[in-house]
Amino acid sequence: MEEYNKVMTPEQILEAAHEEGFELTDDQLDGIAGGGQWSNGCCPRCGHTGTMYCPGTGESRCGKCGLKW
């Protein structure tokens, strides 16, 4: 596993995942495609404004307390 703690290109990550037996479905790939975006949305738990919104899942996550909504 220490080999995977280095900086890897996306192609190397996919190759390593394949070698380890990990396969993603088309739905899973669609869910992570495009990444996320930082927003100034306010966390409902702690009020922090550094939140991440993932358009693929429609889920937000607080960068301070980790709440997902």
Side-chain angles (χ1 to χ4, degrees):
M1 281 313 263
E2 189 168 318
E3 172 185 344
Y4 301 125
N5 288 331
K6 63 182 181 179
V7 175
M8 299 171 76
T9 67
E11 292 80 15
Q12 290 171 318
I13 293 169
L14 289 173
E15 181 180 338
H18 180 72
E19 289 174 3
E20 293 292 326
F22 291 101
E23 294 292 331
L24 296 176
T25 66
D26 288 340
D27 287 341
Q28 289 171 318
L29 288 170
D30 286 344
I32 60 172
Q37 59 194 36
W38 286 105
S39 69
N40 288 329
C42 189
C43 174
R45 179 189 290 161
C46 72
H48 185 66
T49 58
T51 60
M52 172 66 81
Y53 173 72
C54 179
T57 62
E59 188 174 75
S60 293
R61 182 181 59 83
C62 178
K64 184 176 181 181
C65 74
L67 176 70
K68 293 180 181 180
W69 72 94

